[in-house]
Amino acid sequence: MEPLDYLAEERSKASFDVEEMKIIWAGSRHAYDMSNRMARLVASDSIFRKDNRTMLSRKDLFKDTLRKTAHAVKRTVELNLSEEESMTLWSYVDQPAYANLHRGMFIPAIEGQGTEEQKRKWLPMAYKMQIIGCYAQTELGHGSNVQGLETTATFDPETDEFVIHSPTLTSSKWWPGGLGKASTHAVVYARLRTNGQDYGVQAFIIQLRSLDDHSPLPGITVGDIGMKFGSGAYNSMDNGFLRFDHVRILRNQMLMRVSQVTREGKYVQSDVPRQLLYGTMVSVRQIIVSESSCALSRAVCIATRYSAVRRQFGSQNGGPETQVINYKTQQSRLFPLLASAYAFRFAGEWLKWLYTDVTKRLKANDFSTLPEVHACTAGLKSITTSATADAIEECRKLCGGHGYLSCSGLPELFAVYIPNCTFEGDNIVLLLQVARILMKTVAQLASGKKPVGTTAYLGRVEHLMQCHCEVRRAEDWLKPSVILEAFEVRAARMSVSCAQTLSGFSNPEDGFADISSDLVEAAVAHCQLIIVSKFIEKLQQEIPGKGVKTQLENLCNVYALSLLHKHLGDFLSTGCISPEQGALANEQLRLLYSLVRPNAVSLVDAFNHTDHYLGSVLGRFDGNVYQKLYDEAWKSPLNDTYVPDGYHEYIRPLLKQQIHTARL
Amino acid sequence: MEPLDYLAEERSKASFDVEEMKIIWAGSRHAYDMSNRMARLVASDSIFRKDNRTMLSRKDLFKDTLRKTAHAVKRTVELNLSEEESMTLWSYVDQPAYANLHRGMFIPAIEGQGTEEQKRKWLPMAYKMQIIGCYAQTELGHGSNVQGLETTATFDPETDEFVIHSPTLTSSKWWPGGLGKASTHAVVYARLRTNGQDYGVQAFIIQLRSLDDHSPLPGITVGDIGMKFGSGAYNSMDNGFLRFDHVRILRNQMLMRVSQVTREGKYVQSDVPRQLLYGTMVSVRQIIVSESSCALSRAVCIATRYSAVRRQFGSQNGGPETQVINYKTQQSRLFPLLASAYAFRFAGEWLKWLYTDVTKRLKANDFSTLPEVHACTAGLKSITTSATADAIEECRKLCGGHGYLSCSGLPELFAVYIPNCTFEGDNIVLLLQVARILMKTVAQLASGKKPVGTTAYLGRVEHLMQCHCEVRRAEDWLKPSVILEAFEVRAARMSVSCAQTLSGFSNPEDGFADISSDLVEAAVAHCQLIIVSKFIEKLQQEIPGKGVKTQLENLCNVYALSLLHKHLGDFLSTGCISPEQGALANEQLRLLYSLVRPNAVSLVDAFNHTDHYLGSVLGRFDGNVYQKLYDEAWKSPLNDTYVPDGYHEYIRPLLKQQIHTARL
């Protein structure tokens, strides 16, 4: 028997080679094969099931996470998986756990900030998970401003130890994942004090729990910080708090690659350039951008498939109603998000290249591109995560009422995704960092300093300040050069305008604070330009597969023109684009939607998500939505009995008019 | 001892009479006193506690809801509360429950659609809760398109009964609140069939469960549809599914005020005008708009207070860091939401008046204003709920990392609020209805028909199509006439532009479908104009209290100018406003933020929310945030033991390198 496929007709409409698109999306044939294998491995393993996750109590959810983590480690050993395979397998398990922090933050912190000796001591234990570590930086009262941390590490020359202490309530470590219940160790950030002086924030490795029985060590108060957004979602993680009461650690537990404290208590800085530490930040943020395309693709896949299944209104002569994906209102909300998924994918790919490039340069002591690279990764992290968070919720709304059910997968996807907007740099704070570099770049133009990389267009600012858009017909908006110039003009003029306003302030910092929300908008414009330009660059490469390039061109244009429509005020304010040209862009956008429509389901098939990974009744590959919704409903805990618990105490007395005497 | 107040300094800065503002917010002295009394009654009653709600299992949460409902009924009886007091008390209990649907939908449906005889039979039982009812309209496959419902009610003249049946899976009733577990009866919408003919959708009263033991009656399959968005939130409600297998009911269980079926099975329509039914819709939507201001005010109150407590960066010479509310980036995101809360409040107040007015007219058989009133309430429901949903999430982000904790109150507020965007008319579908009436109004201008009420400005379309904004300096944007004209020009030109495009289509329906997303934008512009104009009208009344009017003027200007900034593309496209004038508006907006800043905490105090109702550690009246966050953390179920459940099975084997032999 043929497997059921309610979406077969949709799939037959595609005018491109879906299998080739899958490889483009994955990045390479190798990446596709590997991730396909891992996805199916996870999907077929009952220990990794997650369809009941939102119904578990906090304790059961946490225990389930511990079990999945152990099982993933076990499978990695049994199947002799590579590091890459193991990470990919874990990403398909799709449940935040202490292991993410152990692998993603604790180990890299030691690798980046430990001396060779320290690395030899700690890393083998960490790799083997003989110790489990977390990354304890954020405090109850201190997040973005790392320099404001209050935990102290005071050197005691008499015993050759540091005394770690939490002097105030607000100095309690707060939020670190894996800290609450699982970790035995932590990299802890604390203010170094020695010889009566404060040397700012340094990192220390500190044991928190006994390796014998897991109980907290003396002087350590540690626990879970409580419930977080949503059901399931990040509640699988033991984000924790941690307080120190004069805890003593050995001097060699300070991570000393960059700074040291000598036996005598003298603070010394090594000749390792501090900038090297930025490399890690670029790497982490590149991963976040890449993951944003992944989260967004899941939401878009669910909403697109369901929009093709769902029908509403428009029935003629008793025939079926219209698929909601045919409505322009649905298309104008959904297709820009579909296009964004692809745009962010390619931006992530490019960032990966950038990371390799900057790593090479740093090794050769070339720090010249670092500020620009920093701005670029900070900015892309900010705008891709903000856009993805909003997009997941928009996709949920696009699924109508049923999107509100947990089994749609979208509520949990939203709840688990949104911390991306806050961690690894609050998105607004990051945009202000971008703006700072933009203002510096504009200020240096006068001195003849040529901007590099993604800020290179600012070198053509004189041209950009004068040019006028040449669009006369809607289809003129399909030219990459036209789009690129429009985005460059917008970004350049917004930066220049901010710089001009700033120059009117006697104190530049006051000015920066005063116009900071304009600066944020200028930074957004700059970052959107980067994404548009990287998408266009991608399309200048050779792209194999029937029709694949055409589809990507359509999506690139949808991405750019929908942004233009959304931020029309920016574009019109520059004077480069007229209202008529803006209206033509909108007209072209409508035509593009018609081109995307028949390919929409296949464009989300190309993400190659398994039903397990999507975790959505509405996004099922086979489109058999209604039967599965009905089956899922029966699993509700409230359906264990016909008459609900509480009926006799709280409903029956009402019905029988005995409420006045009822004991509640 | 003085009670602790970390926000005392903020409160001392207010330049207006907060007590008077509380009365303005409540609507009257009477409304203030009553709601203040009810809020404190709920807050002081331990049965109504909700601080542990997000940690309860689904079953416990549902049972807790049944208990609170029964207790609320009991207190109503004991204290002899009026209907108004009782409703207000229930709103402060703040937990969705079957009683909302019983009182808000089941009873009104009988009141609106039942004959006098039917009302005499059913209403006394319903008022006394001898029966509990829900409103079963939506089906698994049918939401917005009520005419597409599939459930059938076939008249059997032999027995004088209707046979109620669910012919398909998609005809299963799906979503009705209170249906899953609590209701004994339902008003069910089904296709009336008699004499072999289909007479469309009608309403029937049907008993679902035994009044003896609450078990479902024969032929009835009923249950809960499962987990929904978030923890706590709407999971307190038993949204249900319902299937009928040839269930027989008496003929007089069809609600027959408007249409009847005779003993012989003849379908007859009474002379009661169908339009009367719209009155209820206006009433329900007015309540939704009013509730939007309430939900928004809660989120804004939390974010504002916490922004005044939270400090980050900017410490000088070891002094305290800067309050985050002092950052312009924070102000530019928060203050427009604060202004929106007030704007929606006054819009809701005006809608209440409109409801009274249209009710009077309908009684006098004057249906002339009905289309405009319909557009107005549909549109305001749509834009206030969409804006509120987005704003709650924005407020959560404004609280940084801690906003992600359940104890911030914001995750649950978001999860429980967002269905407002979907129920009682999907927000996009509603905006298209508004657009339809706008297009009709524009089309009728040629024939000389004068638009009424909120569409009256379209009667001045010739003037609006030509006029130019007179702003020369930033402060010119403070004139109500300038703001109003800008919004009128924008709305009028967007409607006219759509109408012109439509006239180019040979089939108007094709045109309407093709440009529907432009039509949605035109409808939004129209609705925002309504809210701005009602805020301005409010300020033309006498407003007592020192400084109160000035504050409201500032908020009105913030609301209008922040919308202008957000939708600048619309305004510039009209050609009425120049980019320079747009920049001046933005400049004025920045100045307004400085005026709002010292009054911000007092402006949210004026909402008079109790700490119980806010349910937020971050939004506490006394600002004692950090101590309470720490106290709350200890309540996490994971902190019941130092060593977590699962340690021995799933963590220890890893640490001891025994994972390969572990049984997981």
Side-chain angles (χ1 to χ4, degrees):
Chain A
M1 199 180 93
E2 280 287 300
L4 194 71
D5 185 357
Y6 286 88
L7 292 169
E9 196 188 324
E10 285 295 326
R11 295 191 165 107
S12 72
K13 288 188 211 163
S15 57
F16 70 99
D17 184 334
V18 182
E19 295 305 313
E20 286 290 344
M21 188 67 94
K22 285 182 182 174
I23 289 161
I24 294 278
W25 176 263
S28 68
R29 162 80 54 189
H30 162 77
Y32 170 75
D33 287 340
M34 190 272 297
S35 88
N36 190 50
R37 227 167 351 103
M38 293 303 118
R40 272 146 236 279
L41 193 65
V42 171
S44 62
D45 189 329
S46 64
I47 290 186
F48 292 133
R49 70 175 279 199
K50 52 178 182 165
D51 55 334
N52 60 343
R53 189 163 57 188
T54 59
M55 284 183 251
L56 298 180
S57 74
R58 182 78 202 288
K59 276 185 188 174
D60 288 340
L61 177 63
F62 185 64
K63 192 173 176 183
D64 176 67
T65 310
L66 296 180
R67 185 181 187 215
K68 283 176 177 161
T69 308
H71 187 60
V73 174
K74 190 176 183 181
R75 294 302 284 156
T76 297
V77 175
E78 285 171 351
L79 300 170
N80 195 19
L81 300 182
S82 69
E83 176 68 11
E84 185 192 28
E85 287 169 328
S86 165
M87 296 293 275
T88 307
L89 178 138
W90 183 247
S91 75
Y92 282 116
V93 173
D94 187 36
Q95 194 151 312
Y98 69 88
N100 304 0
L101 286 302
H102 176 73
R103 286 215 271 200
M105 301 289 285
F106 179 70
I107 290 178
I110 300 172
E111 283 173 339
Q113 299 171 60
T115 61
E116 291 307 315
E117 195 189 330
Q118 289 175 318
K119 288 195 263 187
R120 273 195 301 274
K121 174 172 178 185
W122 296 102
L123 288 179
M125 287 191 289
Y127 286 133
K128 285 190 272 181
M129 296 186 88
Q130 289 174 295
I131 60 173
I132 295 170
C134 64
Y135 184 89
Q137 177 177 304
T138 302
E139 295 176 356
L140 186 49
H142 310 276
S144 297
N145 182 16
V146 178
Q147 295 316 313
L149 294 177
E150 293 180 86
T151 305
T152 53
T154 310
F155 183 63
D156 179 352
E158 298 211 3
T159 58
D160 198 19
E161 291 172 322
F162 290 107
V163 181
I164 311 293
H165 189 60
S166 308
T168 59
L169 178 68
T170 47
S171 73
S172 308
K173 293 295 173 185
W174 199 269
W175 276 116
L179 168 63
K181 291 287 144 181
S183 293
T184 62
H185 289 67
V187 166
V188 173
Y189 287 78
R191 314 196 73 80
L192 170 63
R193 289 182 179 172
T194 181
N195 285 327
Q197 274 221 298
D198 184 317
Y199 289 96
V201 173
Q202 305 288 339
F204 302 82
I205 298 192
I206 306 182
Q207 184 173 350
L208 306 176
R209 290 181 168 93
S210 157
L211 291 172
D212 291 326
D213 64 7
H214 211 63
S215 60
L217 296 184
I220 302 249
T221 305
V222 63
D224 178 77
I225 57 169
M227 296 294 290
K228 287 150 287 184
F229 201 126
S231 51
Y234 246 98
N235 290 300
S236 61
M237 180 72 90
D238 55 330
N239 297 89
F241 63 82
L242 171 63
R243 291 182 56 75
F244 298 98
D245 182 6
H246 300 93
V247 171
R248 288 181 167 264
I249 60 170
L250 299 177
R251 181 167 55 91
N252 68 13
Q253 285 173 252
M254 171 171 151
L255 291 174
M256 298 221 200
R257 185 179 177 209
V258 175
S259 320
Q260 296 91 37
V261 171
T262 67
R263 177 62 191 89
E264 295 72 36
K266 208 179 144 201
Y267 176 77
V268 188
Q269 281 194 287
S270 76
D271 54 1
V272 177
R274 288 209 153 234
Q275 288 97 323
L276 276 185
L277 302 180
Y278 285 106
T280 319
M281 212 147 73
V282 175
S283 156
V284 172
R285 289 179 182 162
Q286 169 251 311
I287 292 169
I288 294 178
V289 172
S290 182
E291 284 175 351
S292 80
S293 69
C294 191
L296 179 49
S297 71
R298 290 167 75 176
V300 166
C301 180
I302 295 167
T304 302
R305 286 180 182 163
Y306 181 62
S307 296
V309 170
R310 181 73 174 178
R311 292 168 179 273
Q312 206 73 188
F313 291 113
S315 165
Q316 278 163 355
N317 309 322
E321 294 174 287
T322 304
Q323 293 167 287
V324 299
I325 200 174
N326 289 341
Y327 291 106
K328 291 284 172 187
T329 45
Q330 194 85 353
Q331 295 176 6
S332 68
R333 295 161 72 198
L334 181 57
F335 292 166
L337 307 181
L338 172 59
S340 300
Y342 278 91
F344 296 174
R345 192 71 177 181
F346 301 138
E349 215 169 62
W350 171 76
L351 272 187
K352 200 170 176 177
W353 169 85
L354 191 70
Y355 172 59
T356 321
D357 181 66
V358 84
T359 307
K360 261 189 243 154
R361 288 172 188 265
L362 290 178
K363 277 188 184 148
N365 274 324
D366 169 7
F367 304 117
S368 63
T369 64
L370 204 55
E372 189 265 324
V373 167
H374 173 66
C376 182
T377 48
L380 291 189
K381 183 272 182 185
S382 176
I383 71 161
T384 58
T385 58
S386 287
T388 298
D390 292 348
I392 295 169
E393 173 61 3
E394 183 74 354
C395 285
R396 192 194 62 73
K397 286 185 184 145
L398 286 165
C399 292
H402 298 339
Y404 190 64
L405 284 168
S406 295
C407 69
S408 77
L410 292 164
E412 202 182 7
L413 187 59
F414 181 73
V416 85
Y417 188 76
I418 49 179
N420 280 277
C421 301
T422 312
F423 62 43
E424 289 297 316
D426 174 88
N427 279 355
I428 297 295
V429 174
L430 291 180
L431 289 174
L432 287 171
Q433 293 176 6
V434 174
R436 215 169 262 283
I437 292 166
L438 290 175
M439 290 307 99
K440 201 170 164 188
T441 307
V442 172
Q444 288 174 339
L445 289 175
S447 66
K449 187 167 174 188
K450 241 185 134 71
V452 295
T454 54
T455 52
Y457 69 100
L458 290 172
R460 289 180 280 113
V461 74
E462 283 187 30
H463 165 71
L464 295 174
M465 294 298 284
Q466 295 166 5
C467 73
H468 285 277
C469 174
E470 289 169 3
V471 165
R472 292 194 190 162
R473 298 162 312 165
E475 60 263 40
D476 292 340
W477 275 115
L478 298 178
K479 291 181 202 156
S481 58
V482 168
I483 287 177
L484 208 51
E485 189 175 76
F487 275 79
E488 284 180 347
V489 168
R490 168 200 180 212
R493 295 195 189 181
M494 287 171 82
S495 275
V496 167
S497 159
C498 284
Q500 282 168 346
T501 313
L502 281 182
S503 65
F505 282 83
S506 53
N507 179 340
E509 281 310 304
D510 289 350
F512 198 86
D514 209 54
I515 65 161
S516 55
S517 62
D518 294 334
L519 286 163
V520 164
E521 290 176 9
V524 167
H526 171 71
C527 297
Q528 288 175 341
L529 164 61
I530 297 176
I531 298 186
V532 167
S533 65
K534 296 307 156 189
F535 205 152
I536 289 174
E537 277 175 25
K538 175 82 187 176
L539 295 176
Q540 284 157 356
Q541 298 170 18
E542 200 173 319
I543 294 177
K546 174 187 158 255
V548 169
K549 191 168 188 165
T550 307
Q551 292 306 315
L552 293 177
E553 282 166 350
N554 290 341
L555 291 173
C556 180
N557 291 329
V558 165
Y559 180 72
L561 296 183
S562 61
L563 279 182
L564 189 146
H565 181 65
K566 189 175 168 189
H567 298 274
L568 188 59
D570 289 356
F571 287 88
L572 296 183
S573 290
T574 66
C576 162
I577 291 171
S578 69
E580 294 69 31
Q581 290 169 323
L584 290 174
N586 208 27
E587 195 182 316
Q588 185 55 52
L589 194 53
R590 270 206 301 275
L591 294 171
L592 285 164
Y593 292 153
S594 310
L595 300 177
V596 173
R597 166 64 192 92
N599 293 287
V601 167
S602 297
L603 284 167
V604 302
D605 283 350
F607 304 143
N608 198 39
H609 294 318
T610 62
D611 281 345
H612 172 275
Y613 185 53
L614 278 186
S616 168
V617 169
L618 304 186
R620 292 172 58 88
F621 184 83
D622 67 10
N624 188 12
V625 165
Y626 293 118
Q627 184 62 50
K628 295 296 171 178
L629 275 172
Y630 192 73
D631 297 346
E632 280 301 310
W634 280 105
K635 296 180 190 165
S636 167
L638 290 186
N639 292 331
D640 290 350
T641 55
Y642 283 116
V643 176
D645 198 15
Y647 163 74
H648 290 283
E649 303 94 308
Y650 309 125
I651 294 182
R652 194 176 164 84
L654 287 172
L655 295 171
K656 299 302 174 191
Q657 306 293 293
Q658 294 162 341
I659 193 68
H660 50 289
T661 58
R663 294 193 51 185
L664 304 178
Chain B
M1 199 181 93
E2 281 287 297
L4 193 71
D5 186 358
Y6 287 88
L7 292 168
E9 197 189 322
E10 285 294 329
R11 296 192 164 107
S12 73
K13 289 188 212 160
S15 57
F16 70 99
D17 184 334
V18 182
E19 295 306 312
E20 286 290 341
M21 188 68 95
K22 286 181 181 172
I23 290 161
I24 295 279
W25 176 264
S28 68
R29 163 80 56 188
H30 162 78
Y32 170 74
D33 287 340
M34 189 270 299
S35 86
N36 189 50
R37 232 173 341 109
M38 292 303 117
R40 274 147 235 279
L41 194 65
V42 171
S44 63
D45 189 329
S46 65
I47 291 186
F48 293 133
R49 69 175 281 195
K50 54 180 181 164
D51 54 334
N52 59 344
R53 189 162 58 188
T54 59
M55 285 183 249
L56 298 180
S57 74
R58 181 79 202 286
K59 275 185 185 173
D60 287 340
L61 177 63
F62 185 65
K63 193 173 175 183
D64 176 68
T65 310
L66 296 180
R67 185 179 187 218
K68 283 177 176 161
T69 309
H71 187 60
V73 174
K74 191 176 182 185
R75 293 303 283 157
T76 298
V77 175
E78 286 170 351
L79 300 170
N80 196 20
L81 300 182
S82 69
E83 175 70 8
E84 186 191 27
E85 287 169 327
S86 165
M87 296 293 275
T88 307
L89 178 140
W90 182 247
S91 76
Y92 282 116
V93 174
D94 188 35
Q95 193 153 310
Y98 69 87
N100 304 0
L101 287 303
H102 176 73
R103 285 216 272 201
M105 300 290 284
F106 179 71
I107 290 178
I110 300 171
E111 281 173 339
Q113 298 171 59
T115 61
E116 290 307 314
E117 195 189 330
Q118 287 175 318
K119 288 195 264 186
R120 272 195 302 276
K121 174 173 177 185
W122 296 102
L123 287 179
M125 287 192 288
Y127 286 132
K128 286 190 272 182
M129 297 187 84
Q130 289 173 298
I131 60 175
I132 295 169
C134 65
Y135 184 88
Q137 176 176 305
T138 303
E139 295 176 354
L140 187 50
H142 310 276
S144 297
N145 182 16
V146 178
Q147 296 315 315
L149 293 176
E150 294 180 85
T151 305
T152 53
T154 310
F155 184 65
D156 178 354
E158 299 212 359
T159 59
D160 197 19
E161 291 171 323
F162 289 107
V163 182
I164 311 293
H165 190 60
S166 309
T168 60
L169 179 68
T170 47
S171 74
S172 307
K173 292 296 172 187
W174 197 269
W175 278 115
L179 168 64
K181 291 286 142 180
S183 293
T184 61
H185 288 68
V187 166
V188 173
Y189 287 78
R191 314 198 71 81
L192 170 63
R193 288 182 179 171
T194 181
N195 285 327
Q197 274 221 298
D198 183 318
Y199 289 96
V201 173
Q202 305 288 338
F204 302 83
I205 298 192
I206 306 183
Q207 183 173 351
L208 307 176
R209 289 180 169 94
S210 156
L211 291 173
D212 292 328
D213 64 6
H214 211 63
S215 60
L217 296 184
I220 302 253
T221 305
V222 63
D224 178 78
I225 58 169
M227 296 294 289
K228 287 149 289 185
F229 200 126
S231 52
Y234 246 97
N235 291 299
S236 60
M237 180 73 88
D238 55 329
N239 296 90
F241 63 81
L242 172 62
R243 293 182 54 76
F244 298 98
D245 182 8
H246 300 94
V247 170
R248 289 182 166 264
I249 60 170
L250 298 177
R251 181 166 56 90
N252 67 14
Q253 285 172 251
M254 171 172 152
L255 290 175
M256 299 220 200
R257 184 179 177 208
V258 176
S259 320
Q260 295 90 37
V261 170
T262 65
R263 177 64 193 88
E264 295 73 36
K266 206 177 148 205
Y267 176 78
V268 188
Q269 280 194 288
S270 74
D271 54 4
V272 177
R274 287 210 152 234
Q275 289 98 322
L276 275 186
L277 302 181
Y278 285 106
T280 319
M281 213 147 72
V282 174
S283 156
V284 172
R285 289 179 181 160
Q286 169 250 313
I287 291 169
I288 292 178
V289 171
S290 183
E291 284 176 350
S292 80
S293 69
C294 192
L296 179 49
S297 72
R298 291 167 74 177
V300 166
C301 181
I302 295 168
T304 302
R305 287 181 182 161
Y306 181 62
S307 297
V309 170
R310 181 72 174 178
R311 293 168 179 272
Q312 206 73 185
F313 292 113
S315 165
Q316 279 162 355
N317 310 318
E321 296 174 287
T322 304
Q323 292 167 287
V324 300
I325 199 173
N326 289 341
Y327 291 107
K328 290 285 171 188
T329 45
Q330 194 84 352
Q331 294 176 6
S332 69
R333 294 160 73 199
L334 180 57
F335 292 166
L337 307 181
L338 173 60
S340 301
Y342 279 91
F344 297 174
R345 193 71 177 180
F346 301 138
E349 214 169 64
W350 171 75
L351 272 187
K352 200 168 175 180
W353 169 84
L354 192 71
Y355 172 59
T356 321
D357 181 68
V358 84
T359 308
K360 263 189 243 154
R361 289 172 188 266
L362 291 177
K363 279 190 183 143
N365 274 325
D366 168 7
F367 304 117
S368 63
T369 64
L370 205 56
E372 189 265 326
V373 168
H374 172 64
C376 183
T377 48
L380 290 190
K381 184 271 182 187
S382 176
I383 71 160
T384 59
T385 59
S386 287
T388 298
D390 292 349
I392 296 169
E393 173 60 3
E394 182 75 354
C395 285
R396 191 194 62 73
K397 286 185 183 144
L398 285 166
C399 293
H402 298 339
Y404 190 63
L405 285 168
S406 295
C407 69
S408 77
L410 292 164
E412 201 182 7
L413 188 59
F414 182 73
V416 85
Y417 189 75
I418 49 179
N420 280 278
C421 300
T422 311
F423 62 44
E424 289 295 317
D426 174 88
N427 280 355
I428 298 295
V429 174
L430 290 181
L431 288 174
L432 287 171
Q433 292 175 6
V434 174
R436 213 169 264 282
I437 293 166
L438 290 175
M439 291 306 101
K440 201 169 165 189
T441 307
V442 172
Q444 289 174 341
L445 288 175
S447 66
K449 187 168 174 189
K450 241 185 137 66
V452 296
T454 55
T455 52
Y457 69 101
L458 290 172
R460 289 180 281 113
V461 74
E462 284 187 29
H463 164 71
L464 294 173
M465 294 298 284
Q466 295 166 3
C467 72
H468 285 278
C469 174
E470 289 169 6
V471 165
R472 292 193 190 163
R473 298 161 312 165
E475 61 263 40
D476 292 341
W477 275 114
L478 299 178
K479 292 180 203 156
S481 59
V482 168
I483 288 178
L484 207 53
E485 189 176 75
F487 275 80
E488 284 180 348
V489 168
R490 167 200 181 211
R493 294 195 189 180
M494 288 172 82
S495 276
V496 168
S497 160
C498 284
Q500 282 167 347
T501 312
L502 281 182
S503 66
F505 282 83
S506 54
N507 180 339
E509 280 309 305
D510 289 349
F512 198 86
D514 209 54
I515 65 161
S516 55
S517 62
D518 295 334
L519 287 164
V520 164
E521 290 176 8
V524 167
H526 171 72
C527 296
Q528 289 176 341
L529 163 61
I530 297 176
I531 297 185
V532 167
S533 66
K534 295 306 157 192
F535 205 151
I536 289 174
E537 278 176 24
K538 175 83 187 178
L539 295 176
Q540 285 159 353
Q541 298 170 18
E542 199 173 321
I543 294 178
K546 175 188 158 256
V548 169
K549 190 166 189 167
T550 307
Q551 292 307 314
L552 293 176
E553 282 166 351
N554 290 342
L555 291 173
C556 180
N557 291 328
V558 165
Y559 180 72
L561 296 183
S562 61
L563 280 182
L564 189 146
H565 181 65
K566 188 174 170 190
H567 298 274
L568 188 60
D570 289 356
F571 288 88
L572 295 183
S573 290
T574 65
C576 160
I577 290 172
S578 69
E580 294 69 30
Q581 290 170 323
L584 289 175
N586 209 28
E587 196 183 317
Q588 185 55 53
L589 195 53
R590 270 205 301 277
L591 294 172
L592 285 164
Y593 292 153
S594 311
L595 300 177
V596 172
R597 165 65 190 93
N599 293 287
V601 167
S602 297
L603 284 167
V604 302
D605 283 350
F607 304 144
N608 198 39
H609 295 319
T610 62
D611 280 346
H612 172 275
Y613 186 53
L614 278 186
S616 169
V617 169
L618 304 186
R620 292 173 59 87
F621 184 83
D622 67 10
N624 187 13
V625 166
Y626 294 118
Q627 184 62 51
K628 295 296 170 179
L629 276 171
Y630 192 73
D631 298 345
E632 280 301 311
W634 279 106
K635 297 180 190 164
S636 166
L638 291 186
N639 292 331
D640 290 349
T641 57
Y642 282 116
V643 175
D645 198 14
Y647 162 74
H648 289 282
E649 304 95 308
Y650 309 125
I651 294 181
R652 195 176 164 85
L654 287 172
L655 295 171
K656 299 302 174 193
Q657 306 294 293
Q658 296 162 340
I659 194 69
H660 49 290
T661 58
R663 294 192 53 185
L664 303 179

